[in-house]
Amino acid sequence: MSSRLSYYLQRSVRFLSPAPPVIANRYPRLHNVLWVTKAAGYALLFGHLITTYGFSYTGTWGVSMLPSIASSGDFVLISKFYRHGRGLEVGDLVTYKHPYHGDQGLYGIKRLVGLPGDFVLRDSPGAKEGVMIQVPQGHCWIVGDNLPLSRDSRMFGPIPLGLIKGKVIAKSQLFGRDFKWMKNPLQDVADDMHDEEDETI
Amino acid sequence: MSPILTGRVLYQCAKTSIFTTAVAIFANDNLFEIVSISGMSMTPALSPDHNTSGTQDWIVLWKMQPTNNIKRGDIVSYLSPHDVDKIVVKRVIGLDGDTVLLDQRRRSAMPPEKQRGWDSWGGKCVVPYGHLWVEGDHWRGSLDSNHYGPIPKSLIDGRALGLVWPWSRFGQTPWTQYRSKTRVIEGIAVCPKEWEL
């Protein structure tokens, strides 16, 4: 039976080896068209993989994140490794599908202020009664940096983590000019602010 | 006979498998996805024998703009608002603008702490703009909008086209013959002024 096996193995090897370039030699224009189509297909395929699961670079517009992100002209680098809230911390900039217009393709960028279980201020500081609410499981609370001109969780409530599509890790101008990493601005409470007397409580 | 596993053959195998994987992921995200219905929440339309023999139905979902022309009674899939790692398949009961009159039977199947949340709706819910009210057909055991309220349309991942397994029911849509008992007063979706684009 080993001759039968070797016959099929040889057939598979010939199948997997590249064919002689008949089209390239005899029909050069067709070969060019096919090559361009193939390259476009590959670009679409791997472009989708990279932008959905890796990184994407896109322009922004809107005043809700001033002064962190300009009202127009800024481009952001988004890491999709943080989609669906994986590995996110309070203070990160996140991109999300809009709860009202997301199915029409609208995405937004806001700052993550509450993870599931956290207690957040429902309205702006100083407004209304100062009610604090707990973020439900599987949801998050996002707020824009420009509080008076931002429509965010204070208006539409907590959003499901399934709407979070990535984390903004850097911003730049067109073609990558003035590139700047966007780090989490929150700092731990300084240790020297801790009073010795408080420990007795 | 020349050695079989030459570098060229290995390279060709790697190229083919990477290309095939990329095509599969692209098609899965943008065109069709096949999921299994594990759980009793959609019986008897989907996975009717899950409790007895453990057999699951497999359905194919259409992923391109699934909420375009969505109708009451369609089956949709989405990431659970309570557990983002779980894909949930349920039926659309109310579109935006509808008033859903909550089903009392479903309240009796809930644990007491969830019943308090259900009571806070006051018996009915007006579905906001851009949202959907989804329910599982099996009123006795279904985590759906009765637990977490209406879900945003942007959360919807896919819309069911038909069954692919079991083979005997390939291509059928058994859920279209079922009419949900939850009463819905139809309304018109109006985008609130402050959220207009």
Side-chain angles (χ1 to χ4, degrees), chain B residues 16-186:
Chain B
T16 314
S17 43
I18 289 177
F19 179 75
T20 315
T21 315
V23 169
I25 295 178
F26 181 88
N28 185 295
D29 289 347
N30 292 358
L31 297 173
F32 301 101
E33 180 173 0
I34 297 180
V35 296
S36 75
I37 310 294
S38 62
M40 292 294 293
S41 60
M42 284 303 295
T43 51
L46 292 172
S47 286
D49 304 316
H50 187 72
N51 236 8
T52 48
S53 59
T55 47
Q56 297 173 4
D57 287 0
W58 293 72
I59 59 170
V60 62
L61 302 163
W62 177 241
K63 308 279 286 227
M64 284 205 83
Q65 311 229 310
T67 49
N68 254 12
N69 301 320
I70 195 124
K71 290 189 258 307
R72 299 175 194 87
D74 280 349
I75 306 279
V76 290
S77 81
Y78 55 95
L79 291 171
S80 169
H82 277 179
D83 182 2
V84 77
D85 296 320
K86 234 171 39 159
I87 296 181
V88 174
V89 174
K90 295 280 181 285
R91 183 191 295 271
V92 173
I93 300 292
L95 303 175
D96 27 5
D98 292 352
T99 307
V100 178
L101 304 173
L102 304 197
D103 192 354
Q104 264 292 346
R105 286 183 312 170
R106 292 169 183 267
R107 180 190 187 276
S108 58
M110 289 181 177
E113 62 271 12
K114 292 276 167 73
Q115 286 181 343
R116 273 205 303 273
W118 194 94
D119 292 338
S120 65
W121 287 109
K124 63 177 163 72
C125 168
V126 179
V127 181
Y129 177 79
H131 287 62
L132 299 169
W133 185 273
V134 291
E135 276 180 3
D137 290 346
H138 190 57
W139 60 268
R140 271 204 193 85
S142 170
L143 287 175
D144 48 31
S145 283
N146 290 290
H147 291 250
Y148 37 74
I151 60 169
K153 274 187 187 170
S154 14
L155 197 60
I156 302 286
D157 203 23
R159 189 174 67 212
L161 288 178
L163 276 172
V164 294
W165 187 266
W167 197 244
S168 52
R169 286 187 284 150
F170 182 89
Q172 292 176 17
T173 52
W175 56 84
T176 46
Q177 286 107 33
Y178 177 83
R179 288 281 308 281
S180 167
K181 304 235 175 11
T182 311
R183 286 178 33 233
V184 168
I185 303 169
E186 298 182 8

Side-chain angles (χ1 to χ4, degrees), chain A residues 6 10 16 18 42 45 48-49 53 84 97-104 106 137-139 151 155-156 162-163, chain B residues 1 8 12-13 19 22-23 25-26 29-30 67 79 81-82 84 129-131 152-154 191 194-195 197:
Chain A
S6 76
Q10 281 186 323
L16 284 172
Y42 278 136
L45 209 60
H48 165 80
L49 276 186
Y53 298 101
H84 303 158
K97 229 171 154 185
H98 199 275
Y100 283 104
H101 300 293
D103 57 332
Q104 294 151 34
L106 183 67
Q137 63 178 125
H139 289 68
R151 295 175 296 175
M155 289 89 195
F156 51 63
L163 290 180
Chain B
M1 187 181 79
R8 155 152 272 149
Q12 290 292 326
C13 279
F19 179 75
V23 169
I25 295 178
F26 181 88
D29 289 347
N30 292 358
T67 49
L79 291 171
H82 277 179
V84 77
Y129 177 79
H131 287 62
K153 274 187 187 170
S154 14
C191 183
E194 59 268 21
W195 290 110
L197 282 172

Side-chain angles (χ1 to χ4, degrees), chain A residues 158-176:
Chain A
I159 62 169
L161 282 172
L163 290 180
I164 302 289
K165 296 303 177 189
K167 170 176 159 180
V168 173
I169 55 177
K171 76 164 187 182
S172 75
Q173 302 301 302
L174 189 57
F175 302 131

